[in-house]
Structures are given as structure tokens and as C-alpha cells.
Amino acid sequence: LNWITGWVDWNIVLNESGGPNWANNFVDSPIIVNATADEFYKQPMFYIMGHFAKFLPRGSVRIGLESLSTSEDEVLVGAFLNPDDEVVLQVLNKNDVAVTVEISDDDAGMFQHRIPAASFTTLLWRTRK
């Protein structure tokens, strides 16, 4: 479907050994529980899932993206329209250096934003309706 891939993390909470699970493939999860100490640890994955959920609520749709101008090659981007008629642009800069992205939107005009090295950034703006 339009070059998109979906993914679901079926183990939201596991123990310190990466279980229990029916397949015996002991893996990582967003939350790790240490039952003997009655505590839990939120992993980085927990926060990134929360970040996506905050900016892409139910009813958000992926929209077309014609081009992305950057100074480096290792930049991944996704563009979405959320139910509040806001454009959500999510940018992953896998480079060891900051990059500048140049965005052109028929409603918002043209603007630039500097994306720090090895970071994930979300840009948000309202469309004109």
C-alpha cells in the first residue's frame, strides 16, 4: 500500500529475561519488569512509541511527500495528516552531523529546520481549510 510498512510490538511488557512468551524467543520490550524488586523500567522504545501516539492519533493518514532536501543521505521522513488537520512531518537523522531540511508546503509556504545529529524530530503545522 503506497510503500508503507506497519509494525506492532506484541510484547509491551516482559521480564528481565525477555519472557514469558509462547515462542521462546526471548527479546526486548518497551517495559521490563523486575518482579523480585517490585519495579519496572521504561526502555527508549517506550518513549518513541508514546511520541508517535501523541502526534499520530487514531484517524491520522499518511500523505504524499515529493522531496526532501538535506545535506546528507541518511535522513528518513514520513508525512501525515492528523484528525485536527495538522501536517505531521517526522524526520529521523541517522547521520553523525546535523542536517537542515527544507520544507515546502502549499499552505504553510517554505521553511527550513535544523535536525540534530542522530536524532528524531517531529514538525507540526496546521493546514488552511
Side-chain angles (χ1 to χ4, degrees):
L1 261 165
N2 297 323
W3 302 100
I4 190 164
T5 301
W7 155 130
V8 174
D9 194 0
W10 59 278
N11 281 325
I12 193 93
V13 178
L14 293 174
N15 64 25
E16 292 176 299
S17 300
N21 67 68
W22 60 272
N24 291 323
N25 62 334
F26 301 104
V27 294
D28 201 4
S29 71
I31 300 172
I32 300 293
V33 172
N34 179 349
T36 58
D38 196 28
E39 58 191 16
F40 65 92
Y41 316 108
K42 295 177 184 174
Q43 305 274 72
M45 189 185 333
F46 174 86
Y47 296 100
I48 196 68
M49 288 176 73
H51 183 88
F52 275 97
K54 177 180 179 180
F55 291 102
L56 298 174
R58 185 182 307 255
S60 298
V61 294
R62 185 169 185 228
I63 57 176
L65 180 69
E66 290 185 23
S67 66
L68 177 70
S69 297
T70 68
S71 58
E72 301 293 329
D73 294 330
E74 293 295 312
V75 176
L76 305 173
V77 65
F80 305 87
L81 184 63
N82 71 21
D84 294 330
D85 290 322
E86 295 169 322
V87 174
V88 180
L89 189 69
Q90 297 187 318
V91 184
L92 172 62
N93 179 7
K94 295 170 66 175
N95 292 292
D96 293 334
V97 296
V99 297
T100 299
V101 294
E102 203 169 272
I103 296 109
S104 177
D105 179 277
D106 290 342
D107 290 337
M110 182 176 276
F111 56 97
Q112 294 182 340
H113 190 79
R114 191 123 174 104
I115 311 295
S119 70
F120 183 81
T121 301
T122 297
L123 303 171
L124 178 76
W125 65 92
R126 187 167 301 282
T127 62
R128 292 184 210 150
K129 290 239 172 183

